[in-house]
Structures are given as structure tokens and as C-alpha cells.
Amino acid sequence: PSRRPCHAITATMNMKSDKNATGQIAFAVGLLAGSIATLLLTTSRKNKTQDADAPQTSRNDAAQSTQTMPDEIRSEMLSRNSLYFESSNGMPNITNSSVLVVGLGGVGSHTAHMLARSGVKYLRLVDFDQVTLSSLNRHAVATLKDVGLPKVTVLCNHLRQICPDESRLILDP
């Protein structure tokens, strides 16, 4: 009878150390994923800068159908934000900012959605998951029609309806 509690204590200690190791592995994987996302973002931006410097010879049909938004409409859309940030001259900082959103689930989809509506110019959206039935109650913009589609695609399509002008909202999925 006295040996059983010792084995139980040893087994419990082993389980605790296994959980700790699992947590450390999860942290390392998250850190690696973040590093990769940052590297991809940096590379992507460098390529876009080089492409912008190169002469434009032809554009695809999707780029040609890009709508432009008149200044009056855009300034009216952002008028409340401008009033709030006017005293600190912060609105230009917002409209010229770049934001990376990793994970477009219950928190990330709402975050990206509100950043786009607040006037952030460049959004890099990262999520490798698809919209599922069980995530519809948390996702900011997904509907039943979107089940099975990548979350990034669904959110980009919605954000493009809000701001169709690619010079005012740059989406980088």
C-alpha cells in the first residue's frame, strides 16, 4: 500500500513535466510562426516597392476594375475619427500606418475589420484556416455561404466592399 502513493506521485510529476514541455513546444511553434510571418511581410513589402519602381507595361483585369473613391466620400467616412484625432494630428499617422493581423478568428477578424474602417492604409492578414460552421458565431463578417472558404479571402472580399479603392486600403493576404 505504501508504494502505490509513491507511483501516483511520480506519475503526477511526470504528467506535470509533460504539460510544461508541451507548453514550451507550443510557445516555440508560435514564436517560429510569428518570425516567419514577419519575414514574409518584409519580403512582400520589398517586392512591392521594387514592383512599384518598375515601369508598368500591363495590368490584369482585376487591377483595371479597381474603383477609386472620391476624397469627399472618404473624408466623410472618416469624419468622426478625424474629429477625435485632430487635436493630436494623429489621423495622418493612422491613414499611413501598416498593421499585421495574425489570426482572423473571433478577435482577429473584428480587429482587422475595425482597423480597415478606421482608415488604416495597409493590412497584412494571416490565417491558414477556413471558415467553419462552429466559427460563424465569432467571425466578424462570415456567413453560411462562406463556410469552407479561407478566412483571409472572406475578410478581404468584405473589406474590399467597404473600401473598393486600392490606393486607400491595401490588403495583403
Side-chain angles (χ1 to χ4, degrees):
S2 63
R3 288 186 177 224
R4 280 205 148 160
C6 292
H7 290 300
I9 291 170
T10 305
T12 304
M13 288 173 52
N14 285 340
M15 285 175 39
K16 285 182 182 176
S17 65
D18 288 345
K19 287 180 185 177
N20 190 23
T22 303
Q24 290 174 347
I25 291 171
F27 175 78
V29 169
L31 186 62
L32 180 63
S35 299
I36 291 170
T38 303
L39 179 65
L40 291 173
L41 176 62
T42 305
T43 305
S44 172
R45 290 183 115 190
K46 284 181 183 175
N47 290 342
K48 284 183 181 181
T49 303
Q50 290 171 355
D51 291 345
D53 294 341
Q56 298 288 327
T57 55
S58 67
R59 304 178 95 183
N60 60 21
D61 293 337
Q64 288 177 344
S65 67
T66 300
Q67 298 176 350
T68 58
M69 184 179 292
D71 289 337
E72 304 84 41
I73 292 175
R74 186 64 174 170
S75 63
E76 179 63 26
M77 287 175 69
L78 300 174
S79 63
R80 302 286 171 116
N81 296 6
S82 296
L83 287 173
Y84 182 76
F85 291 109
E86 185 176 25
S87 63
S88 64
N89 204 13
M91 199 60 198
N93 292 336
I94 293 171
T95 56
N96 293 321
S97 64
S98 301
V99 180
L100 167 66
V101 181
V102 179
L104 300 176
V107 175
S109 63
H110 288 277
T111 302
H113 183 209
M114 296 317 315
L115 286 169
R117 284 189 180 273
S118 68
V120 170
K121 185 172 185 174
Y122 179 86
L123 284 175
R124 172 73 167 127
L125 306 173
V126 178
D127 195 319
F128 302 107
D129 200 7
Q130 297 176 342
V131 175
T132 62
L133 286 172
S134 65
S135 68
L136 284 177
N137 66 329
R138 296 182 305 276
H139 200 274
V141 299
T143 64
L144 278 172
K145 292 179 186 176
D146 300 320
V147 172
L149 295 175
K151 290 179 181 179
V152 172
T153 302
V154 171
L155 191 59
C156 282
N157 290 342
H158 182 78
L159 296 179
R160 193 49 66 208
Q161 290 176 349
I162 293 168
C163 184
D165 191 342
E166 289 185 11
S167 68
R168 298 185 189 267
L169 175 62
I170 301 167
L171 299 172
D172 188 5

